[in-house]
Amino acid sequence: MDKLRAMQTFVAIVDQGSLSAAARALDSSLPAVVRTLAALETSLDVRLLNRTTRRQALTEEGLAYLDTCRRILGELHEAEARLAERHEAPTGTLVVTAPVLFGQLHVAPALHRFLRAYPAIKCRLLLNDRVVNLWEEGIDVGIRISPLDDSTLVAQTLGAIRRVVVASPACLAEQGEVTHPRELIGKNCIRAYGVGYAQWRFWEKGERGEGGREFAVPVDGNLEVNHGLAAIEACIGGLGYGSFLSYQVVGPLADGRLKRVLTDYEGPARPVSIVYPHARLLPSRTRAFVEWMKKELRDVPMV
């Protein structure tokens, strides 16, 4: 007996609702379908379907075996699809979302290189700083800077970031360097909307750096902006202290235009992940993009 063919026949009988309908769907004869089901039940030594002249119903064993058949046949279909894709260039439209500044700095350049490598793919890149619902908004892939709280999504970690406080050498010379977060009260702080701009959060470490608790410090200043890049430029210009995600200020920290302060009070690292709705039966364009971004962003300095 061809066991895979028998599994396909059993699934067709259940899906089509009758032996005769399954025979038509499989382009087979009714006697052949009957023989295949009987041989399958004999080989398993269980009854999969209770059948009468008017209706059929799955037995408890049949219900469990149906799930197994669907999984095996699905994995076989996926394996065959992957082999077929090796001979065809990925095509179609890909919809990607990412946080605004991370998307501008890292995702967009990597996407440009991806599209040059796969010219048959079209892409829509949506940059915004809200957490979007991939299912509801028809998005194929997202870049997330936060723990994943949706169990229906698959996530692969690309790196980690922290929220850091920085200031320019000129600002530190003028205002003095703070050694505890509460010393920010009364300092000129540049606030960016959307990140708790009126209160900055810190982590009070316990003994030997273990444990600890989160606390907030109210901040104020003479500049509020709705875009992180403008706030970073203001910090570089010496206007005041700023609070940013670490990847946003890697360059200014590396060349000395900004200095990182209050490092002992930084909170735990946050994962940067690439997420997508499901792992099985991904279109080749989505699978190619995920693998491309994993390689492109692997060495991006973040923390």
Side-chain angles (χ1 to χ4, degrees):
M1 180 182 58
D2 184 338
K3 185 61 71 71
L4 282 175
R5 179 65 177 175
M7 287 180 175
Q8 291 171 333
T9 300
F10 172 54
V11 172
I13 292 170
V14 175
D15 289 346
Q16 299 299 321
S18 70
L19 296 169
S20 56
R24 290 191 295 272
L26 295 170
D27 194 22
S28 182
S29 67
L30 178 58
V33 169
V34 172
R35 287 195 301 269
T36 299
L37 178 60
L40 180 61
E41 290 180 324
T42 299
S43 71
L44 297 172
D45 195 25
V46 296
R47 179 174 288 277
L48 300 174
L49 288 166
N50 288 319
R51 302 179 297 280
T52 67
T53 55
R54 292 190 175 185
R55 65 186 297 272
Q56 64 181 30
L58 284 165
T59 64
E60 182 178 348
E61 293 81 5
L63 183 61
Y65 190 62
L66 178 65
D67 289 339
T68 300
C69 290
R70 291 195 193 281
R71 176 177 55 80
I72 291 173
L73 294 173
E75 290 177 354
L76 177 62
H77 176 73
E78 181 178 3
E80 292 174 343
R82 286 181 177 177
L83 289 175
E85 287 170 0
R86 295 176 61 183
H87 305 289
E88 300 178 1
T91 61
T93 300
L94 186 70
V95 184
V96 179
T97 184
V100 175
L101 195 50
F102 192 86
Q104 292 172 336
L105 293 175
H106 302 300
V107 178
L111 178 59
H112 300 164
R113 293 186 285 271
F114 173 78
L115 292 175
R116 283 196 291 269
Y118 295 94
I121 295 178
K122 295 181 179 180
C123 185
R124 283 199 296 131
L125 177 60
L126 308 175
L127 300 181
N128 53 67
D129 288 327
R130 64 182 178 88
V131 177
V132 301
N133 186 303
L134 271 60
W135 290 101
E136 293 180 357
E137 301 190 34
I139 295 172
D140 299 298
V141 183
I143 305 295
R144 290 276 174 85
I145 303 180
S146 62
L148 186 67
D149 57 3
D150 187 344
S151 61
T152 66
L153 298 178
V154 177
Q156 299 194 44
T157 301
L158 304 174
I161 56 135
R162 295 180 186 274
R163 182 158 289 282
V164 301
V165 176
V166 298
S168 71
C171 173
L172 296 175
E174 179 182 345
Q175 298 196 40
E177 183 170 345
V178 295
T179 59
H180 189 279
R182 291 190 178 88
E183 295 175 16
L184 290 169
I185 300 174
K187 301 288 186 182
N188 199 50
C189 295
I190 300 160
R191 297 169 297 162
Y193 292 126
V195 290
Y197 76 101
Q199 288 189 329
W200 292 352
R201 308 197 71 82
F202 299 92
W203 196 261
E204 187 85 63
K205 305 296 191 298
E207 293 184 6
R208 299 182 300 279
E210 300 171 357
R213 62 183 179 84
E214 189 180 28
F215 65 99
V217 173
V219 295
D220 198 2
N222 61 3
L223 177 63
E224 299 176 6
V225 298
N226 66 345
H227 195 282
L229 188 58
I232 293 170
E233 291 298 327
C235 276
I236 292 173
L239 189 60
Y241 286 86
S243 175
F244 305 102
L245 296 176
S246 51
Y247 80 87
Q248 298 173 331
V249 289
V250 166
L253 288 172
D255 61 24
R257 288 178 293 163
L258 290 176
K259 180 180 178 181
R260 193 167 173 173
V261 299
L262 301 174
T263 55
D264 289 341
Y265 298 92
E266 294 173 358
R270 309 179 188 183
V272 178
S273 306
I274 186 166
V275 301
Y276 41 95
H278 46 71
R280 297 184 59 191
L281 300 178
L282 282 178
S284 59
R285 59 183 176 273
T286 304
R287 188 178 298 113
F289 179 75
V290 169
E291 293 305 314
W292 184 278
M293 296 304 292
K294 285 166 59 178
K295 293 177 182 177
E296 284 274 336
L297 299 181
R298 181 174 50 199
D299 299 323
V300 170
M302 298 186 189
V303 176

